[in-house]
Amino acid sequence: MEELDGEPAVTVIPGVNSKKNQMCFDWGPGEMLVCETSFSKKEKSEMVPSCPFIYIIRKDVDVYSQILRKLFNESHGIFLGLQRIDEELTGKSRKSQLVRVSKNYRSVIRACMEEMHQVAIAAKDPASGRQFSSQVSILSAMELIWNLCEILFIEVAPAGHLLLHLLDWVRLHVCEVDSLSADVLGSENPSNHDSFWNLPGNTQTLTELELKWQHWHEECERYLQDSTFATNPHLESLLKIMLGDEAALLEQKELLSNWYHFLVTRLLYSNPTVKPIDLHYYAQSSLDLFLGGESSPEPLDNILLAAFEFDIHQVIKECSIALSNWWFVAHLTDLLDHCKLLQSHNLYFGSNMREFLLLEYASGLFAHPSLWQLGVDYFDYCPKLGRVSLELHIERIPLNTEQKALKVLRICEQRQMTEQVRSICKILAMKAVRNNRLGSALSWSIRAKDAAFATLVSDRFLRDYCERGCFSDLDLIDNLGPAMMLSDRLTFLGKYREFHHMYGEKRFADAASLLLSLMTSRIAPRSFWMTLLTDALPLLEQKQVIFSAEQTYELMQCLEDLTSRRPVRGESDIQQLQVIFTSGLMVPHGGGKRLPLSQTSPSLQKHWLLWTHVPLFPLTCVIHTPPSFRRK
């Protein structure tokens, strides 16, 4: 990999003495925690940290700015529109679309810059005002660079037209030119205005001069050689300027805001038909002449120089170092990639420059509680590492509310991110269980297709039923449908609720068959068998015979299995059930002994009441006795 051009910038944390105490830190997805440890580098006896604070260092603080959030939101739509540009379009139609996209990006930058400027003016706190003014300067520089890249790389203006674009570029970004022109032209007698001779001219004048430059150049040389205006220093200075004399231009340095203003003015009067390939020479020499060795170039100067040299890679690299966030380089690189200008710039770790910068920008968006939704679309358009990065980041989103969880879940489902869907549903199911919202927990576990958790929640439903005598969330249980096949316990829950429906509809024969199948198939949990056996009592009390002899034998077998494996609480209940089942119990015909229900155990009486919903009264049950045992 390429080495860094220099040492990374040092971030000073107020109140932390890193020379005296050791520091500890921990990386997060978009931030880093830093604090002092209890260990001193010199004094081992000192075990108390001098700075008892934990600092959060964020790498993308701009996402928390209200105004810059508008920049991120507006540019998101432009980005998506750019991705949908038909790849089959070629020539002027495709170029015009790309230029329109570039202008849309610049309009968003300028709108945010103007709003930030108004906020800076209205700021009551001087510190806040300075901070907003600094942001205005950064946004202004971003638009300046983007506009130049648009001229050189996207529009690709040819010789002759190139200078016209550069004149518009300077006019747009050097506010003093327009304000000075407005003052002079707005006066009653412009030629007598104090600033008339300091006026560089407006766009129309400069354009006209460019068209007639050759003629004027010859005229100016003749007038200068003849000393025609020797008596008027202003006119003579003007002649030298129109001839492109560097010394004469530098004499008016105070009227030129910066070196690139000087560059365009110099080109206008010395080489208005400059070719793109010669720009880098004029740019470098203009910078050197304007600075005059008194100061070194600023980061913005290096970026503009790289652009004039048509070094796209260096422009993006310098912008990445100088700017405080990844928005600018990510969107500019994406646009240049659609212009087919970055095909040769591949990185060493699996993705090209465009994808790397988009990944970094999207990662920063995920650090914000709401802008993360924009980051999803940026990851979608990173073909190599986008999906993997999205999976890693989306798992770290805090699911504070169910509404936010549903948004995340919908995003994962749309992209067939099965593991993430299951993970989110399990998290929500666990939260619901902790809040005793069993219906919601069961719904999430079904959506996650988690059989183990569905079994756990089903057990909670059955336990609550045993304690309360009724089910909660009946609408959910009644409409499980095919989802009940997720686990055996969930199937049992659904079928047991179906048994309740059959009994309520007085379909006793179907209810008896279903009840018996739940036990013989061993789908019912063993802890619930006693409840199922007791549920058979109301069916045995019916006037018509519900259980056949074979079915009664199966009930007896289930009861025997229940008591043989381990002791079960309620021995009196079991003994009474054994008496009832072994006697072919509760048939409405034939001779035999009657067993009053009031003589059964309280637990059986209570369970009986759950089914009959009537006050307890002495109820006799006919015990059928075989003929050989009857008294004659």
Side-chain angles (χ1 to χ4, degrees), residues 99-161:
V99 171
R100 187 178 68 252
V101 170
S102 179
K103 293 182 183 298
N104 289 340
Y105 276 127
R106 285 200 295 115
S107 66
V108 173
I109 297 175
R110 178 160 286 270
C112 290
M113 180 177 64
E114 292 176 353
E115 184 177 355
M116 189 78 75
H117 180 65
Q118 295 299 323
V119 173
I121 295 175
K124 297 180 180 179
D125 181 15
S128 299
R130 289 191 296 271
Q131 182 180 0
F132 288 127
S133 298
S134 175
Q135 287 287 350
V136 171
S137 300
I138 294 174
L139 289 171
S140 177
M142 288 166 59
E143 189 191 3
L144 176 73
I145 299 167
W146 192 297
N147 196 356
L148 182 59
C149 291
E150 178 184 304
I151 294 170
L152 299 178
F153 304 138
I154 303 174
E155 287 189 297
V156 195
H161 294 281

Side-chain angles (χ1 to χ4, degrees), residues 229 465 545 567:
F229 301 107
Y465 172 78
V545 177

Side-chain angles (χ1 to χ4, degrees), residues 372-399:
W372 64 268
Q373 299 175 74
L374 306 181
V376 173
D377 291 324
Y378 287 94
F379 280 134
D380 284 342
Y381 288 100
C382 296
K384 290 186 178 181
L385 302 177
R387 183 179 177 86
V388 175
S389 300
L390 177 59
E391 290 175 352
L392 293 174
H393 281 82
I394 211 162
E395 290 176 350
R396 298 188 177 104
I397 297 177
L399 305 177

Side-chain angles (χ1 to χ4, degrees), residues 205-219:
T205 305
L206 294 177
T207 304
E208 185 179 359
L209 285 176
E210 192 278 331
L211 296 175
K212 299 179 179 181
W213 176 78
Q214 189 64 38
H215 173 72
W216 286 347
H217 192 270
E218 295 175 357
E219 290 288 326

Side-chain angles (χ1 to χ4, degrees), residues 18 43 107 171 232 242 314 331 414 456 499 558 574 602:
S18 59
E43 302 176 7
S107 66
R171 182 189 62 82
N232 192 324
M242 295 181 68
Q314 189 64 25
H331 290 85
Q414 290 172 350
L456 174 66
F499 163 73
C558 292
I574 295 174

Side-chain angles (χ1 to χ4, degrees), residues 303-492:
I303 295 171
L304 296 178
L305 276 178
F308 283 122
E309 293 174 0
F310 290 87
D311 190 345
I312 298 175
H313 184 271
Q314 189 64 25
V315 169
I316 296 171
K317 184 177 181 179
E318 294 287 345
C319 289
S320 300
I321 297 172
L323 298 178
S324 59
N325 62 71
W326 296 99
W327 180 90
F328 181 86
V329 290
H331 290 85
L332 178 61
T333 303
D334 175 64
L335 180 58
L336 295 177
D337 184 73
H338 279 80
C339 297
K340 312 296 183 183
L341 296 175
L342 296 175
Q343 304 305 311
S344 59
H345 296 295
N346 291 319
L347 305 179
Y348 296 99
F349 39 85
S351 64
N352 55 29
M353 184 189 301
R354 170 192 172 273
E355 180 165 335
F356 169 76
L357 294 174
L358 287 178
L359 290 173
E360 289 294 326
Y361 174 64
S363 299
L365 293 178
F366 265 81
H368 193 273
S370 61
L371 292 179
W372 64 268
Q373 299 175 74
L374 306 181
V376 173
D377 291 324
Y378 287 94
F379 280 134
D380 284 342
Y381 288 100
C382 296
K384 290 186 178 181
L385 302 177
R387 183 179 177 86
V388 175
S389 300
L390 177 59
E391 290 175 352
L392 293 174
H393 281 82
I394 211 162
E395 290 176 350
R396 298 188 177 104
I397 297 177
L399 305 177
N400 303 324
T401 63
E402 189 164 330
Q403 182 181 5
K404 186 175 183 180
L406 289 173
K407 286 183 181 180
V408 177
L409 198 59
R410 184 167 58 252
I411 289 171
C412 294
E413 289 176 341
Q414 290 172 350
R415 291 158 180 78
Q416 289 82 44
M417 298 166 61
T418 308
E419 290 301 321
Q420 283 67 33
V421 169
R422 293 187 62 183
S423 176
I424 293 169
C425 290
K426 287 180 67 174
I427 291 172
L428 295 174
M430 293 177 68
K431 287 184 178 181
V433 168
R434 285 196 294 266
N435 295 326
N436 204 30
R437 297 167 53 223
L438 297 182
S440 178
L442 182 59
S443 177
W444 285 120
S445 60
I446 291 173
R447 194 165 181 176
K449 297 181 174 58
D450 190 331
F453 205 85
T455 299
L456 174 66
V457 179
S458 300
D459 284 335
R460 286 286 300 272
F461 267 105
L462 295 174
R463 188 176 70 187
D464 283 4
Y465 172 78
C466 293
E467 294 175 355
R468 299 164 51 192
C470 61
F471 282 114
S472 60
D473 300 285
L474 290 179
D475 290 340
L476 175 62
I477 301 175
D478 291 342
N479 297 281
L480 286 175
M484 73 171 63
M485 304 305 295
L486 180 61
S487 73
D488 289 346
R489 197 60 45 80
L490 186 59
T491 303
F492 169 74

